[in-house]
Amino acid sequence: MRGAATVSADALRAFVAGVLAKVGMPQDDAATVAEVLVWANLRGVDTHGVTRLPRYVNLIETGDMNPRPSIRVSKETPASVLIDADRAAGPVAMLRAKTEAVHKAREAGIGFALVRATTHTAALGYYTFAAAQEGLAAIAVSASWPNMAYHGTRAAGVSTSPLSIAVPGGKHGSIMLDMGTGVVSMGRLNQAKKTGETLPAGWALDKAGNPTTDPHAAD
């Protein structure tokens, strides 16, 4: 068995951006997505890193992700903005939202950005950390389809509802929390399905609602 290859972060960013450009994404947007994915890898969150690249390519090829979106502000107030992302790659849409929210916050004291019609947001912590680096406290949340069972139930009924909070830390550096509300993320389960590793007890249910440690049986 061959050992895992080691590459530099710059080389990995270039690879990811090149793949996305090949399937129609503009170079600047491809570089943005590559930066966000590799950032997750560098922080040890591989479930939200470059492992997502094949999924992003598939979303573009099936038409679920728009590689050349027309992102626009559809509504706004002095302190809030609603962004129509036109099925953009999540990192592209979320960074636009971060920029708009930071601008509103500097003008009104608080900035609230909502994004609709987007795709997988990648690691939420990237966007809150970026805002904290600009001197602002930030909170980001993301919704999805029901993919987690309530405690004591046998079927999915609620999203893992990812949440990130970041605050400036002065000379000590910014402080950031990035988490989901489940025992484990969907990305971690998908990673286990690829590797075939046995799941810890309590992580997943099968189609019948019974506890399972088999990643391929996890529903």
Side-chain angles (χ1 to χ4, degrees), residues 14-177:
F15 172 77
V16 173
V19 170
L20 293 172
K22 285 287 187 181
V23 291
M25 192 174 287
Q27 290 286 351
D28 285 350
D29 287 354
T32 292
V33 176
E35 167 63 26
V36 176
L37 295 184
V38 174
W39 180 87
N41 286 121
L42 291 173
R43 296 187 67 85
V45 189
D46 293 334
T47 57
H48 286 65
V50 176
T51 189
R52 296 281 179 167
L53 181 59
R55 177 59 175 158
Y56 283 21
V57 171
N58 178 258
L59 288 173
I60 291 173
E61 292 179 339
T62 58
D64 290 325
M65 181 185 290
N66 185 354
R68 294 180 176 271
S70 178
I71 301 176
R72 65 185 182 87
V73 172
S74 59
K75 293 182 181 179
E76 65 178 317
T77 71
S80 66
V81 60
L82 174 61
I83 297 171
D84 188 332
D86 193 25
R87 303 300 298 169
V92 175
M94 291 296 290
L95 277 174
R96 171 66 181 275
K98 187 274 299 182
T99 298
E100 296 284 352
V102 166
H103 174 73
K104 295 289 186 183
R106 295 202 188 282
E107 294 293 321
I110 186 171
F112 182 52
L114 292 170
V115 182
R116 66 183 179 190
T118 185
T119 54
H120 185 259
T121 57
L124 280 181
Y126 184 91
Y127 318 113
T128 58
F129 191 78
Q133 294 291 83
E134 295 184 53
L136 291 92
I139 300 174
V141 296
S142 178
S144 71
W145 62 91
N147 54 18
M148 180 176 71
Y150 287 101
H151 179 69
T153 63
R154 296 167 64 90
V158 65
S159 167
T160 53
S161 303
L163 164 72
S164 180
I165 303 171
V167 295
K171 66 179 181 180
H172 301 291
S174 300
I175 302 170
M176 185 264 293
L177 166 73

